[in-house]
């Protein structure tokens, strides 16, 4: 096989065989195929696409490039959740303990944030002492003892994706549905859960801004999972404005605590109930999503959800008192209010601008090497549809360093559109794809 012939084949719109795909992925992961040939191939895939069979073969080839986690020592049906990423997406912090409180083991590997999207691990690290690096044995032990663990990746999972994703990032080939679907699903499959619930976001703050693209991506991923014997469900959700009110690490932990206590923002709570009920159905803890929802609501009402979070924090060497007393979490030195300059309704909050504004305050990483400030971020006091009067507080900026504050507040101001007409609210949940 010659790589150049395979690039030409894809360039001319032909389908690659399973064997050819494996040859390309293994060759690239092992450093035998150079970046320039892989870039050309990625661009050919970008323009020509891949059929379902090719996408499934690509996913399997990527899974096969590294280790796979074996969760068989954890009893029960393990269900994972993945979000395609958004701004202020606090759901994992709520869902992992909440679903575990309903009796479903949650063995979750998560990531750090980059750019305008935050990462669950950074949020968890704002809990004093919290340890995100566990060995595979400790990880499995914790899930067996507590019912839930959220950790950074253990083992060398999908090295082909690591290399290919970085290459796509600098060659304008990220936004290709077969490449995204295989990238996400290969990581989920290698992580070893039996079932997968995908939160596929659409809207201006999402990675797939158009609804049609998000829907196609969701279907593609559901097909891959189900064809490879992992029950997979996707929920298409809105990411036009940030989720919940808090954007920033410790601030989002506080928001998760509030949500688990039944005092959280309505949209975050609704999304957690929707995704969580699908997780309970896949784990066979509930016959229907309605039944799953009741179980989750009970876990909130009785305090079992928040108790599970505390247990998880303690098991990962964090200070569980921070859950009862969030003032033990990192706090910014200063809170600056952004005020409305006119009367009307909030018509729009550009999620991506809020995400970048929080990043400028230090809550997110501009590059992989950036050091983040866990205390800082943004709390939205008004969301889309809210009525405002001139002088009302739209949002709070939680600030430590002033270096890029002016840029951050300008961007946050620009993120808000206020107009006289009451906007028609978009649904938060569009569709569940099975
Ligand atoms: N997230 C991933 O993990 N991979 C992609 O290709 C895009 C988003
Ligand atoms: Ca949030």
């Amino acid at each position: 096989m010659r790589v150049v012939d395979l690039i030409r084949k894809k360039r001319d719109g032909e389908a690659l065989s399973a064997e050819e795909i494996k040859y390309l992925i293994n060759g690239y992961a092992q450093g035998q195929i150079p970046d320039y040939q892989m870039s050309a191939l990625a661009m050919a895939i970008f323009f020509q696409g891949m059929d379902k069979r090719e996408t499934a073969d690509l996913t399997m080839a990527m899974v096969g490039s590294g280790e796979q986690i074996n969760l068989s020592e954890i009893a029960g049906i393990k269900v994972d959740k993945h979000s395609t990423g958004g701004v202020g997406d606090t759901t994992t912090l709520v869902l992992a303990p909440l679903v575990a409180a309903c009796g479903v083991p949650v063995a979750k590997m998560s990531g750090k944030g980059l750019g305008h999207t935050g990462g669950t691990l950074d949020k968890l690290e704002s809990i004093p002492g919290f340890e995100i690096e566990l060995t595979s044995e400790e990880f499995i032990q914790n899930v067996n003892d507590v019912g839930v663990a959220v950790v950074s990746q253990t083992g060398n999972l999908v090295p082909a994706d690591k290399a290919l994703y970085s290459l796509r990032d600098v060659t304008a080939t990220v936004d290709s549905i077969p490449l995204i679907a295989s990238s996400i699903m290969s990581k989920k499959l290698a992580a070893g859960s039996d079932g997968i619930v995908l939160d596929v976001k659409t809207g201006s703050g999402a990675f797939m801004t158009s609804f049609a693209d998000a829907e196609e991506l969701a279907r593609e991923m559901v097909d891959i999972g189900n064809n490879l014997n992992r029950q997979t469900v996707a929920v298409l959700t809105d990411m036009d404005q940030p989720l919940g009110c808090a954007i920033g690490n410790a601030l989002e932990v506080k928001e998760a605590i509030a949500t688990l206590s039944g005092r959280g923002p309505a949209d975050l709570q609704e999304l957690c109930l929707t995704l969580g009920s699908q997780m309970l159905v896949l784990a066979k803890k509930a016959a229907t999503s309605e039944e799953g929802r009741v179980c989750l609501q009970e876990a909130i009402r009785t305090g079992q959800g928040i108790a599970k979070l505390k247990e998880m924090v303690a098991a990962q060497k964090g200070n569980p008192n921070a859950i009862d007393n969030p003032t033990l979490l990192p706090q910014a030195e200063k809170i600056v209010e952004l005020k409305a300059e006119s009367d009307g309704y909030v018509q729009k909050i550009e999620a991506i601008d809020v995400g970048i504004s929080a990043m400028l305050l230090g809550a997110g990483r501009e590059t992989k090497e950036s050091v983040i400030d866990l205390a800082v971020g943004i709390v939205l006091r008004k969301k889309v549809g809210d009525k405002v009067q001139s002088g009302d507080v739209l949002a709070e900026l939680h600030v430590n360093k002033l270096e890029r504050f002016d840029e951050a507040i300008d961007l946050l101001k620009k993120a808000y559109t206020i107009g006289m007409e009451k906007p028609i609210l978009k649904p938060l949940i569009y569709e569940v794809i099975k």
Side-chain angles (χ1 to χ4, degrees), residues 28 35 38-39 41-43 45-46 58 62 160-184 187 207-208 217:
Y28 187 57
D35 282 349
M38 207 56 188
S39 316
L41 181 75
M43 192 56 88
I45 295 172
F46 177 90
L58 175 59
M62 301 245 276
D161 179 66
K162 252 184 223 132
L164 185 55
Y165 200 3
S166 317
L167 185 73
R168 287 164 56 212
D169 209 21
V170 293
T171 55
T173 50
V174 169
D175 41 354
S176 147
I177 287 175
L179 293 179
I180 299 170
S182 57
S183 165
I184 293 175
K187 285 174 282 195
F207 190 50
M208 288 272 126
L217 175 64

Side-chain angles (χ1 to χ4, degrees), residues 117-158:
T117 60
T120 298
L121 294 182
D122 300 318
K123 298 170 196 179
L124 284 169
E125 280 197 313
S126 69
I127 300 168
F130 195 94
E131 187 57 73
I132 57 170
E133 313 244 349
L134 302 188
T135 64
S136 304
E137 292 74 30
E138 289 169 326
F139 177 49
I140 287 172
Q141 185 75 43
N142 276 24
V143 181
N144 273 332
D145 292 349
V146 180
V148 54
V150 183
V151 300
S152 75
Q153 187 179 297
T154 74
N156 180 25
L157 304 194
V158 204

